[in-house]
């Protein structure tokens, strides 16, 4: 009788130990000292920054911002949707889904118009998507040095442009041809706009449009020849 009870108890102990050691049990129980995962970090899901049709959730937006900052030395977040990429250059992200709204019912809202004395470029036509804001005249920027959300960089992404610089100033937009050579594709004077670069022709004599082809930006001021970006 005692032997039978002993065997029954031993079997129960071995069964319990096997269950605790199984992957299912291990994943269900949090490790010692761990803290619960915040609700907004669970199942965030990937957001397609290049082809999205709806606004990101707040968690997806923050993921995009964190990715840009991690790949752009010196970049820092200054508010919910804005990153200072470098002195004189900021990136504004599309607005997230409003509190209480369904993501599926939240279209991407175009950003507000470019502020006066700035030059702004956008990833989508009609000034949509993400925005780069150039606020210092006379600088020449290589867009390949500045990360874009979800992978890649700002080169070959611009589809619309606004120049709100002071009267008489002009900004120039370049394509990189390799071997240190840059060719001017687009010229935009003060208070001029390009709402859809897919409808424009290139100024460098190459066939095709300048849409998603701009690699460098000269923000007003005199233009050296040959042109090469000097910042950073």
């Amino acid at each position: 009788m005692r032997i039978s009870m002993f065997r029954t108890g031993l079997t129960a102990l071995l069964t319990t130990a096997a269950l605790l050691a199984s992957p299912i049990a291990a994943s269900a129980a949090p490790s010692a000292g761990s803290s619960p995962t915040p609700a907004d970090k669970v199942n965030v899901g990937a957001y397609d920054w290049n082809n999205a049709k709806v606004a990101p959730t707040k968690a997806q937006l923050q993921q995009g911002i964190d990715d840009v900052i991690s790949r752009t030395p010196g970049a820092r977040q200054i508010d919910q949707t804005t990153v200072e990429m470098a002195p004189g250059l900021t990136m504004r992200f599309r607005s997230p889904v409003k509190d209480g709204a369904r993501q599926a019912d939240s279209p991407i809202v175009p950003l507000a118009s470019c502020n006066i004395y700035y030059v702004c470029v956008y990833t989508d036509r009609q000034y949509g998507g993400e925005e780069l804001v150039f606020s210092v005249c006379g600088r020449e920027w290589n867009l390949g040095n500045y990360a874009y959300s979800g992978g890649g960089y700002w080169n070959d992404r611009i589809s619309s442009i606004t120049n709100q610089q002071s009267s008489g100033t002009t900004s120039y937009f370049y394509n990189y041809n390799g071997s240190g050579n840059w060719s001017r594709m687009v010229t935009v004077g003060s208070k001029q706009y390009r709402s859809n670069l897919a409808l424009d022709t290139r100024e460098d004599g190459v066939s095709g449009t300048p849409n998603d082809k701009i690699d460098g930006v000269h923000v007003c001021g005199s233009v050296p020849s040959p042109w090469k970006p000097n910042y950073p």
Side-chain angles (χ1 to χ4, degrees), residues 212-225:
D212 291 338
K213 294 290 190 298
I214 293 172
D215 301 318
V217 180
H218 183 100
V219 186
C220 64
S222 60
V223 180
S225 182

Side-chain angles (χ1 to χ4, degrees), residues 38 40-42 44-47 49 55-71 75-84 91-97 103 130 148-151:
D40 64 345
K41 297 297 182 183
V42 177
V44 169
Y47 184 75
W49 291 94
T57 65
K58 290 182 179 179
Q60 289 170 335
L61 169 63
Q62 191 59 52
Q63 281 187 335
I65 289 175
D66 292 342
D67 172 55
V68 165
I69 291 175
S70 71
R71 294 186 294 115
R76 65 186 184 94
Q77 185 171 356
I78 57 179
D79 63 31
Q80 184 188 33
T81 59
T82 309
V83 171
E84 181 185 61
M91 176 179 177
R92 288 205 302 158
F93 286 73
R94 62 195 66 177
S95 298
V97 174
Q103 186 176 24
E130 272 59 61
Y148 184 74
S149 39

Side-chain angles (χ1 to χ4, degrees), residues 147-165:
Y148 184 74
S149 39
Y153 292 81
W154 264 90
N155 57 301
D156 297 333
R157 292 188 183 274
I158 296 173
S159 292
S160 52
I161 302 169
T162 296
N163 185 354
Q164 289 285 71
Q165 278 283 347

Side-chain angles (χ1 to χ4, degrees), residues 24-38:
I24 295 176
S27 63
S31 59
S34 66
S35 57
T37 303

Side-chain angles (χ1 to χ4, degrees), residues 70-156:
S70 71
R71 294 186 294 115
T72 305
R76 65 186 184 94
Q77 185 171 356
I78 57 179
D79 63 31
Q80 184 188 33
T81 59
T82 309
V83 171
E84 181 185 61
M85 307 289 271
L89 180 66
T90 57
M91 176 179 177
R92 288 205 302 158
F93 286 73
R94 62 195 66 177
S95 298
V97 174
K98 294 181 178 180
D99 293 339
R102 293 178 64 247
Q103 186 176 24
D105 300 328
S106 302
I108 298 170
V109 179
L111 295 167
S113 59
C114 185
N115 291 334
I116 192 168
Y117 301 129
Y118 293 164
V119 173
C120 304
V121 300
Y122 304 84
T123 57
D124 296 344
R125 63 182 182 177
Q126 303 296 332
Y127 323 111
E130 272 59 61
E131 175 190 56
L132 272 185
V133 180
F134 303 88
S135 59
V136 179
C137 192
R139 284 189 176 166
E140 302 148 2
W141 300 86
N142 180 352
L143 300 180
N145 290 321
Y146 301 98
Y148 184 74
S149 39
Y153 292 81
W154 264 90
N155 57 301
D156 297 333

